[in-house]
Amino acid sequence: MSDPAVTPSHETSARVPGLRGIVADWSSDQRSFKTASWGKVMMWVFLLSDTFIFGCFLLSYMTARMSTTVTWPNASEVFSLEIAGHHMPLLLIAIMTFVLITSSGTMAMAVNYGYRRDRRKTAILMLLTALFGAMFVGMQAFEWSKLISEGVRPWENPFGAQQFGAIFFMITGFHGTHVTIGVIFLLIVARKVWRGDFDTGRPGFFTARKGRYEIVEIMGLYWHFVDLVWVFIFAFFYLW
């Protein structure tokens, strides 16, 4: 989907060796990323920085949980639902996880059809992915409202250790913000794909640069990352 940069042979032969050559490459964006576009590389840099942030959050969670002397809340009780008089532990979380993983599948299909320049199927699958993302955020809002109604706050927790509320709201809220931003951008890109902006080379809203189908693949990178992070949150928060 990316347009590989074409480097004339005379530029290759004139490449400056050593540190000066590296500086020249990065400053001119000519050779450093020959197999990846600038937009894709910047997305990878962003995802790498986000990985560090989520990693620090999860490490803080593990430290708080293992160092506290107060009993940590039982996930099967805290995140359970009462349906028709039956106790259903982790039912909502299982549905949320299924919905988010399913959205990864529809996003992968959207990228595939984007490669084929199938405008209609790409836009529909991106809208479907956005719908799954919105469903996930809606269920997360329900989970938050349920815990708040039961007395869980960032500064107190009736189920056990007080740190639980602060860490839970911070990590799931940060992840939910990522999903919400992803849904917004999915809707924007799906609209551009449906309208044929990438086929006609219509310039973007904020810049005069012409959009390309590669943005679908970049959105896919972001969305798969958000799904992958949720797998770790699910394992640490709900299964541990």
Side-chain angles (χ1 to χ4, degrees), residues 27-40:
S27 59
S28 60
D29 187 24
Q30 295 298 313
R31 303 190 190 95
S32 297
F33 308 112
K34 285 194 290 188
T35 58
S37 69
W38 188 251
K40 199 182 296 183

Side-chain angles (χ1 to χ4, degrees), residues 47-68:
L47 297 182
L48 182 62
S49 63
D50 237 16
T51 300
F52 286 121
I53 295 174
F54 276 109
C56 290
F57 282 170
L58 292 176
L59 282 173
S60 302
Y61 163 69
M62 287 189 290
T63 303
R65 179 163 179 173
M66 289 188 292
S67 61
T68 182

Side-chain angles (χ1 to χ4, degrees), residues 147-178:
L147 290 177
I148 291 172
S149 67
E150 293 172 346
V152 179
R153 301 286 190 277
W155 55 87
E156 65 179 349
N157 171 33
F159 298 102
Q162 291 185 345
Q163 301 94 322
F164 171 82
I167 296 176
F168 173 79
F169 287 125
M170 180 182 66
I171 294 180
T172 58
F174 193 61
H175 178 264
T177 303
H178 277 69

Side-chain angles (χ1 to χ4, degrees), residues 38-99:
W38 188 251
K40 199 182 296 183
V41 170
M42 288 301 101
M43 176 53 75
W44 277 112
V45 171
F46 169 75
L47 297 182
L48 182 62
S49 63
D50 237 16
T51 300
F52 286 121
I53 295 174
F54 276 109
C56 290
F57 282 170
L58 292 176
L59 282 173
S60 302
Y61 163 69
M62 287 189 290
T63 303
R65 179 163 179 173
M66 289 188 292
S67 61
T68 182
T69 56
V70 183
T71 305
W72 198 260
N74 186 346
S76 298
E77 296 178 1
V78 177
F79 302 109
S80 65
L81 292 178
E82 291 292 332
I83 300 177
H86 296 284
H87 186 71
M88 308 290 286
L90 300 179
L91 175 63
L92 179 64
I93 312 304
I95 297 174
M96 289 170 63
T97 304
F98 175 77
V99 166

Side-chain angles (χ1 to χ4, degrees), residues 99-111 121-137 179 182-184 186-187 190 216 219-220 222-224 227:
V99 166
L100 205 58
I101 291 176
T102 303
S103 74
S104 237
T106 55
M107 189 67 232
M109 293 171 67
V111 173
K121 290 181 179 176
T122 303
I124 290 175
L125 286 166
M126 293 189 76
L127 290 174
L128 193 58
T129 304
L131 175 64
F132 283 133
M135 289 171 59
F136 176 86
V137 174
V179 177
V183 169
I184 294 171
L186 278 171
L187 294 175
V216 179
M219 275 303 309
Y222 177 84
W223 196 257
H224 294 318
D227 290 359

Side-chain angles (χ1 to χ4, degrees), residues 192 202-209:
K192 293 170 78 68
R202 184 173 178 170
F205 181 77
F206 294 107
T207 68
R209 295 179 62 183

